[in-house]
Amino acid sequence: MRIATITNWAYGATVCLTLASGVVMLMASNADNVERQAVEQRQIFDRLTEEVEMDVWVQSDLARLYVINKDPESLNEYRQKEALLKNVEHRLVKLKDNGASGEELALLLEGLKIVDELQDEQQAALSSVARGEEPQAIALLYGKTYEQELERAQNQIDHFRQMLDKRAQTAIEEATHASRLLRTLSEVMVGLTALLFLFVLGFILKRRVLRPVVRLSDVVHRLASQDYAVETPNFNQIDEIGDMAQAIHIFRENGLVRQRLEKERDADWAIRELLARMTQRLQGCENFADVINVAQLFAPNIAPGISGRLYILDRDPWQMRCVAEWLSPEGKQEPFHPDECWAVRRGQSHPPVNGEPDIACYHLPESRANQSLCVPLIAQGEAIGLLSFQNITPETAPSRAYLELMAEALGLALANQRLRDALLEKALYDPLTGLRNRHHLEDTMRTQISQAIRNNEPVSCLMIDIDHFKNINDRFGHEAGDRVIKSVAAIVQRAAHDNGVAFRYGGEEFLALLTGQDEAGAHACATEIYNGVHGLALRYGLSDIGPVDVSIGIASYPQHVQSDNLLRAADVALYRAKELGRARIVSFGMLDKG
């Protein structure tokens, strides 16, 4: 076969391979676009479901807040959120338009039905509050059934997200597989093209073409192994060699962009996973110390290399107090007034734009004012704390949105802890005397009796009643009666402080559980209480209330009764003291002698 024919066939084959390689490269680029579209679609679904989920939780919190505080502003916000949740069909249409499947929409619809049921329960609670039935409203919104329904709604939405994650992951894997396959095929075609060029040019222009082809072949192989750091040769001649060099240069630039985007995506997902894990841990916190520990652990990982502090707003005195710090930030942990921070003043992160000139917060050290960021912790529209970051640079700083999400999660966790502590205090302590109430008595008695049985120790119970308390109320009014109750409660608390626990049993009755005290020790404590009350000199306004006395009944385990009858025996002894004329101490052991 003639050399000219071989050359023509070689050129024809080269053209075909070049066109095929270009088509395959375009197909590989299209596969990459499919992968990006899958990620963007997942982000759209995330945003839409997060709107529904956030509205559900915020509406539930507003209903609970109104039931507890009866704040009209909370009720107005609740009504606004209720109107937003009514537009469920529009959100479903948006999800359907963005590619959600029928099974996914059915799952989300079932979750929204649960949300409607929760709204019905919230409306019932608000109606109960309007009728003055606050306990029923609190029991409805804080009951186990309501919490289970909330959890069911959350599970439905989470299941919906899992299905979306699975579908998105499948689409990404398929697109990635297709991209790799096409890229490999493209690399093979480029390699064949390079070899064919070497063959043709070896017959025609060996000396002129050999060196450029060798250099281009080396670059192609390195790009095939995703070594995008390779520098492409600069061939400016207007021929096939120049075109190939330009194509390889474009391919390398595209690879660098893709590599950078992949790194940013991986870093973005890592921070998202950390934020999700931190939020889950915050949901399991039982006190402020747990929240602080979570913040100290996750903050350096969410924002690597960025030091910071966590402040909590104290109401008395009114100041920001540092409760945690990480990576040794500059400056001292001194409290400061909230007005010294522009972020707390504005209710938004400060400064608003990185690198632009702006006024610095007054609580920051001057050396770090230009590399700092303050993000307020907002809950129900109120600043309750602050996240202050230092050493922020464009190279080290994560997205500000993630720092604000971290602040939002911490703010909600701290607000929940405050609400939880307030509810616990109201549930377990009497507001007038500060003593534990009757609800706390059962758990405390069970614990002390079990400990006494285990350690073979005695336990005594004092039942204390203020004599003729109704006469005091009738003569001087309920304010005077409250003063008497508070004075007697202080004496009971002081007498039982070293050896036991004091309770307000109800009305004018008090109860003291004394651990490790038999009848003699209990009688000594009762005598101290009796003498302390008898020695009170109380006045209300210009009137002398007069002497106040108490009747006290004593029962001891195991000296008098078994563990399950201790409280009843003390009550019987108190009743006997009243029968004998009040103002006296009667032990259950004296009943048999009488």
Side-chain angles (χ1 to χ4, degrees):
M1 185 177 292
R2 298 178 61 86
I3 295 178
T5 303
I6 296 175
T7 303
N8 291 334
W9 277 102
Y11 274 117
T14 300
V15 171
C16 293
L17 286 173
T18 302
L19 293 175
S21 176
V23 172
V24 173
M25 290 176 67
L26 291 175
M27 294 173 64
S29 177
N30 183 62
D32 293 340
N33 292 333
V34 171
E35 179 180 351
R36 285 192 291 270
Q37 290 172 0
V39 174
E40 292 173 356
Q41 185 188 59
R42 178 66 182 92
Q43 291 175 345
I44 292 174
F45 289 154
D46 268 343
R47 185 177 66 255
L48 293 175
T49 52
E50 283 174 359
E51 289 176 2
V52 176
E53 179 184 1
M54 183 61 67
D55 287 345
V56 171
W57 282 102
V58 170
Q59 188 175 12
S60 179
D61 289 342
L62 289 173
R64 288 179 169 178
L65 186 61
Y66 177 74
V67 168
I68 296 298
N69 296 335
K70 301 185 185 65
D71 185 7
E73 184 176 349
S74 300
L75 182 60
N76 292 335
E77 292 181 11
Y78 173 84
R79 297 302 184 193
Q80 294 174 3
K81 292 295 181 182
E82 182 182 25
L84 292 176
L85 276 178
K86 294 298 183 181
N87 199 11
V88 173
E89 292 79 8
H90 176 65
R91 297 183 183 184
L92 288 178
V93 170
K94 291 178 67 178
L95 287 176
K96 185 175 181 181
D97 292 342
N98 283 279
S101 65
E103 182 181 0
E104 293 166 350
L105 291 175
L107 182 63
L108 182 58
L109 182 60
E110 183 178 355
L112 293 173
K113 289 181 180 179
I114 299 174
V115 172
D116 290 338
E117 295 174 1
L118 288 173
Q119 285 185 302
D120 294 338
E121 293 184 11
Q122 294 165 7
Q123 291 295 336
L126 295 179
S127 299
S128 298
V129 173
R131 294 194 302 269
E133 301 174 351
E134 289 85 359
Q136 294 183 6
I138 293 176
L140 183 61
L141 292 184
Y142 287 88
K144 183 177 180 181
T145 302
Y146 186 84
E147 293 292 341
Q148 290 176 349
E149 291 298 311
L150 272 177
E151 188 67 24
R152 282 184 59 205
Q154 182 68 49
N155 290 338
Q156 290 295 117
I157 294 176
D158 289 343
H159 191 188
F160 172 76
R161 288 176 174 169
Q162 291 173 2
M163 293 182 67
L164 292 178
D165 286 338
K166 184 176 180 181
R167 180 161 62 82
Q169 186 64 30
T170 301
I172 291 173
E173 290 176 355
E174 292 176 355
T176 302
H177 178 72
S179 176
R180 290 177 179 174
L181 182 62
L182 293 172
R183 191 164 56 243
T184 302
L185 183 59
S186 174
E187 294 166 357
V188 171
M189 290 182 177
V190 171
L192 291 176
T193 303
L195 291 176
L196 192 56
F197 261 104
L198 288 173
F199 174 76
V200 173
L201 296 180
F203 283 93
I204 303 173
L205 298 173
K206 181 177 181 180
R207 294 183 179 274
R208 176 184 174 186
V209 180
L210 180 60
R211 182 176 298 176
V213 169
V214 170
R215 292 183 62 187
L216 289 175
S217 178
D218 179 66
V219 171
V220 167
H221 284 290
R222 292 183 64 179
L223 291 176
S225 61
Q226 297 187 352
D227 180 11
Y228 298 109
V230 60
E231 292 292 336
T232 57
N234 187 19
F235 297 141
N236 297 322
Q237 62 266 34
I238 305 176
D239 55 12
E240 292 80 3
I241 297 298
D243 294 341
M244 185 180 293
Q246 184 64 21
I248 292 173
H249 177 74
I250 295 173
F251 185 81
R252 174 181 175 272
E253 293 299 323
N254 291 337
L256 288 173
V257 173
R258 173 183 169 80
Q259 193 175 59
R260 178 176 57 81
L261 292 176
E262 288 178 347
K263 289 181 179 179
E264 292 177 356
R265 183 192 63 186
D266 294 341
D268 185 73
W269 277 106
I271 294 178
R272 284 190 176 191
E273 291 178 357
L274 284 173
L275 283 170
R277 195 183 312 160
M278 185 189 75
T279 303
Q280 292 173 353
R281 301 303 180 268
L282 289 174
Q283 291 174 355
C285 291
E286 296 184 353
N287 49 55
F288 280 99
D290 290 343
V291 176
I292 292 170
N293 290 334
V294 170
Q296 285 180 314
L297 175 63
F298 282 92
N301 294 284
I302 294 175
I306 298 177
S307 58
R309 288 191 176 100
L310 170 63
Y311 294 88
I312 291 181
L313 178 61
D314 289 335
R315 300 183 182 276
D316 188 16
W318 188 257
Q319 63 182 12
M320 285 289 182
R321 175 173 55 88
C322 180
V323 295
E325 69 175 23
W326 51 91
L327 301 182
S328 303
E330 293 186 10
K332 299 180 180 179
Q333 296 185 8
E334 296 180 353
F336 61 89
H337 194 275
D339 287 344
E340 295 184 23
C341 180
W342 283 91
V344 177
R345 287 190 188 183
R346 301 170 60 245
Q348 298 176 357
S349 57
H350 185 83
V353 180
N354 287 328
E356 295 293 333
D358 206 329
I359 187 168
C361 293
Y362 304 126
H363 63 92
L364 294 172
E366 294 183 1
S367 59
R368 293 297 180 184
N370 295 329
Q371 296 180 344
S372 300
L373 174 66
C374 292
V375 185
L377 308 184
I378 305 295
Q380 284 83 43
E382 178 186 2
I384 63 173
L386 174 70
L387 275 177
S388 179
F389 299 99
Q390 296 182 11
N391 303 327
I392 292 183
T393 62
E395 294 76 19
T396 61
S399 173
R400 178 174 294 203
Y402 292 136
L403 299 181
E404 293 177 348
L405 284 175
M406 180 170 63
E408 181 179 352
L410 287 172
L412 290 175
L414 291 172
N416 289 337
Q417 289 300 324
R418 283 189 175 181
L419 179 60
R420 179 177 179 178
D421 291 345
L423 291 176
L424 184 63
E425 183 176 356
K426 290 182 180 179
L428 300 182
Y429 291 89
D430 176 54
L432 178 63
T433 63
L435 299 179
R436 293 174 172 84
N437 59 24
R438 193 166 181 174
H439 297 289
H440 202 184
L441 173 62
E442 295 181 1
D443 293 337
T444 305
M445 176 171 285
R446 189 183 305 111
T447 301
Q448 292 196 2
I449 291 295
S450 299
Q451 182 178 355
I453 295 174
R454 185 168 56 253
N455 298 334
N456 195 22
E457 295 178 346
V459 176
S460 295
C461 177
L462 305 183
M463 189 74 75
I464 306 151
D465 182 77
I466 302 176
D467 294 334
H468 305 295
F469 181 73
K470 186 176 183 301
N471 293 337
I472 297 175
N473 275 339
D474 293 341
R475 290 172 56 197
F476 302 101
H478 289 286
E479 291 187 5
D482 289 345
R483 179 175 297 183
V484 172
I485 288 176
K486 291 173 66 176
S487 300
V488 174
I491 295 173
V492 174
Q493 172 72 5
R494 185 168 57 251
H497 180 267
D498 294 333
N499 299 315
V501 184
F503 301 85
R504 185 180 181 187
Y505 194 65
E508 67 273 18
E509 288 187 332
F510 302 90
L511 185 144
L513 285 178
L514 306 177
T515 305
Q517 299 294 317
D518 56 9
E519 181 182 2
H523 197 279
C525 182
T527 302
E528 180 182 352
I529 295 172
Y530 180 85
N531 293 334
V533 174
H534 188 71
L536 285 174
L538 298 176
R539 297 181 62 84
Y540 180 69
L542 300 177
S543 302
D544 187 1
I545 295 178
V548 179
D549 288 308
V550 292
S551 300
I552 304 177
I554 302 175
S556 300
Y557 162 83
Q559 190 172 0
H560 298 150
V561 294
Q562 295 299 316
S563 59
D564 54 348
N565 292 324
L566 181 62
L567 189 61
R568 184 179 302 173
D571 192 42
V572 171
L574 175 61
Y575 183 75
R576 182 58 176 164
K578 293 180 179 180
E579 285 185 336
L580 295 175
R582 304 176 185 272
R584 65 191 64 235
I585 301 172
V586 175
S587 173
F588 188 79
M590 298 169 58
L591 301 182
D592 295 336
K593 297 178 182 179

